[in-house]
C-alpha cells in the first residue's frame, strides 16, 4: 500500500498558505462587544510556544479507491521547521514530510524517492505565497491572515458575521481575487477553516473537534477533518493528535532526511498519482 498520499494530503493544508493581493471586502456592521471579547479571549488563549510535538494517527479516504491508515508523529519548531513522520506496524517510518522557512521535502521510504522544492517555486506555481507559519497555524487550529507571517492581527482586519447564539464567522477583509476563505467559530473554539475558489467549484474545508485545554480555554483541537472537493479524485483526511502526548516548549529534534539513497522526483509526478 502507498502511504505517501497521507503525508502529501497533509501538505495540502498549505492550500490555505498565502496570497498576493486581491480584493478588499466592504465594511459591515459594527462588531458586537461580546464577539470582540470572544476574539480577544481566543487570541489570548494561544500559548506562547517555541516547539510543539505530538503522536497521533491519520486516515485518508481516496474517493472510491478505499482508505489508508497510519500513525503519525508531528514535530514543530516555531517559524523554523515542521516534520511529520508517517509510520506503520512496529513504528516503521514509511514517509516523512519536512518543511523549513524556504524548502519542502517529502520522502517516500517505501519506493525510495523524494520530492524537494523551494517554497518560492511552489508559491510561483500556485500563484500564492507558500508559508511555513501558516501551515503551522493550520495544524494547531488557529486563525491567520494569508498576507502576513507575523501572526499579528486585530478583529478589525476581519468582517464579522454573527449567526445566533455563540456562533460567529470571520472573513478576512483582504481576499484574493481567485478564492476566498473564512473561519467559523463557536465562542472561542475554531470549528472550521474554509477556502473556496471564486467560481465555487473547488474547496478545502478543515473541521476541528475534540478540544482540550490551552491557556484559559478548552479550545485546542486534537482532531482535524480535511476535505478537498472539486478535484478529479476527492480526498478527505482525518488527522488526530493523542492528547496525552501533546507537548509544548520541550526539547524537539527535527532532522532533515538523509536523501543520498533516494531518487528525486518532481511535485508534478507525485500530484499526478493522485490525479490532482
Amino acid at each position: 500500500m502507498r502511504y505517501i498520499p497521507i503525508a502529501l494530503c497533509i501538505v495540502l493544508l498549505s492550500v490555505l498558505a498565502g496570497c498576493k493581493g486581491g480584493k478588499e471586502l466592504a465594511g459591515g456592521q459594527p462588531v458586537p462587544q461580546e464577539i470582540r471579547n470572544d476574539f480577544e479571549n481566543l487570541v489570548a488563549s494561544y500559548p506562547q510556544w517555541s516547539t510543539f510535538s505530538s503522536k497521533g494517527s491519520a486516515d485518508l479516504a481516496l474517493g472510491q479507491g478505499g482508505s489508508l491508515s497510519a500513525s503519525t508523529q508531528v514535530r514543530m519548531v516555531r517559524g523554523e521547521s515542521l516534520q511529520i513522520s508517517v509510520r506503520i506496524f512496529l513504528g516503521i517510518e514509511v514517509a516523512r514530510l519536512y518543511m523549513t522557512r524556504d524548502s519542502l521535502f517529502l520522502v517516500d521510504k517505501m519506493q525510495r524517492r523524494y520530492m524537494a522544492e523551494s517554497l518560492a517555486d511552489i508559491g510561483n506555481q500556485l500563484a500564492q505565497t507558500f508559508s511555513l507559519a501558516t501551515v503551522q497555524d493550520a495544524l494547531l487550529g488557529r486563525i491567520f491572515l494569508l498576507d502576513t507571517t507575523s501572526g499579528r492581527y486585530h478583529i478589525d482586519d476581519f468582517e464579522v458575521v454573527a449567526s445566533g447564539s455563540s456562533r460567529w464567522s470571520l472573513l478576512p477583509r483582504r481576499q484574493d481575487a481567485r478564492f476566498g476563505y473564512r473561519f467559523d467559530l463557536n465562542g472561542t473554539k475554531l470549528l472550521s477553516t474554509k477556502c473556496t475558489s471564486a467560481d465555487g467549484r473547488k474547496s478545502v474545508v478543515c473541521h476541528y473537534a475534540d478540544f482540550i485545554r490551552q491557556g484559559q480555554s478548552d479550545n485546542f483541537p486534537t482532531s482535524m477533518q480535511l476535505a478537498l472537493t472539486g478535484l478529479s479524485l476527492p480526498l478527505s483526511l482525518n488527522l488526530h493528535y493523542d492528547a496525552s502526548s501533546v507537548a509544548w516548549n520541550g526539547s524537539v529534534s527535527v532532522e532533515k532526511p538523509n536523501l543520498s539513497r533516494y531518487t528525486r522526483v518532481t511535485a508534478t509526478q507525485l500530484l499526478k498519482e493522485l490525479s490532482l
Side-chain angles (χ1 to χ4, degrees), residues 57-74:
S57 61
D59 302 291
L60 176 69
L62 302 168
Q64 301 298 317
S67 61
L68 303 173
S69 298
S71 63
T72 58
Q73 292 184 356
V74 178

Side-chain angles (χ1 to χ4, degrees), residues 69-276:
S69 298
S71 63
T72 58
Q73 292 184 356
V74 178
R75 298 174 181 175
M76 301 188 213
V77 178
R78 186 175 186 177
E80 295 290 335
S81 58
L82 160 67
Q83 176 179 301
I84 301 176
S85 177
V86 179
R87 298 170 182 265
I88 54 173
F89 185 63
L90 297 179
I92 298 172
E93 186 178 47
V94 294
R96 183 187 298 184
L97 179 154
Y98 176 77
M99 190 173 180
T100 67
R101 286 180 292 180
D102 56 20
S103 300
L104 172 67
F105 302 87
L106 190 56
V107 183
D108 179 356
K109 291 193 171 184
M110 298 295 285
Q111 299 189 42
R112 307 192 68 79
R113 60 185 182 171
Y114 74 96
M115 180 200 80
E117 299 282 347
S118 75
L119 300 193
D121 287 345
I122 295 174
N124 289 334
Q125 295 172 27
L126 297 175
Q128 300 175 22
T129 300
F130 195 83
S131 165
L132 170 65
T134 306
V135 175
Q136 290 182 331
D137 280 344
L139 288 170
L140 296 177
R142 298 186 173 194
I143 60 174
F144 49 79
L145 289 179
L146 294 177
D147 56 358
T148 180
T149 59
S150 68
R152 298 178 181 176
Y153 41 72
H154 188 270
I155 194 168
D156 292 329
D157 293 319
F158 301 87
E159 178 72 14
V160 177
V161 179
S163 54
S165 186
S166 57
R167 297 293 185 101
W168 52 294
S169 300
L170 292 173
L171 288 76
R173 291 193 181 278
R174 186 167 178 79
Q175 298 273 9
D176 191 273
R178 298 166 303 242
F179 65 89
Y181 67 107
R182 65 183 286 162
F183 306 95
D184 296 323
L185 303 99
N186 184 355
T188 62
K189 291 184 172 69
L190 176 62
L191 301 181
S192 65
T193 298
K194 302 178 180 178
C195 180
T196 306
S197 62
D199 60 12
R201 295 180 180 178
K202 297 182 179 181
S203 67
V204 181
V205 180
C206 188
H207 293 284
Y208 298 98
D210 300 330
F211 298 92
I212 62 174
R213 193 166 189 81
Q214 64 173 351
Q216 301 300 311
S217 300
D218 298 321
N219 63 358
F220 177 73
T222 57
S223 294
M224 283 164 273
Q225 297 108 31
L226 178 71
L228 294 89
T229 59
L231 306 176
S232 57
L233 179 62
L235 301 176
S236 63
L237 171 74
N238 292 333
L239 180 65
H240 306 277
Y241 294 136
D242 177 353
S244 65
S245 71
V246 171
W248 303 90
N249 304 323
S251 177
V252 170
S253 174
V254 180
E255 300 177 356
K256 180 179 177 180
N258 181 355
L259 304 176
S260 61
R261 296 175 296 171
Y262 295 85
T263 300
R264 183 170 181 174
V265 296
T266 66
T268 301
Q269 289 172 281
L270 287 178
L271 291 173
K272 186 176 181 180
E273 291 193 7
L274 293 179
S275 300
L276 295 182

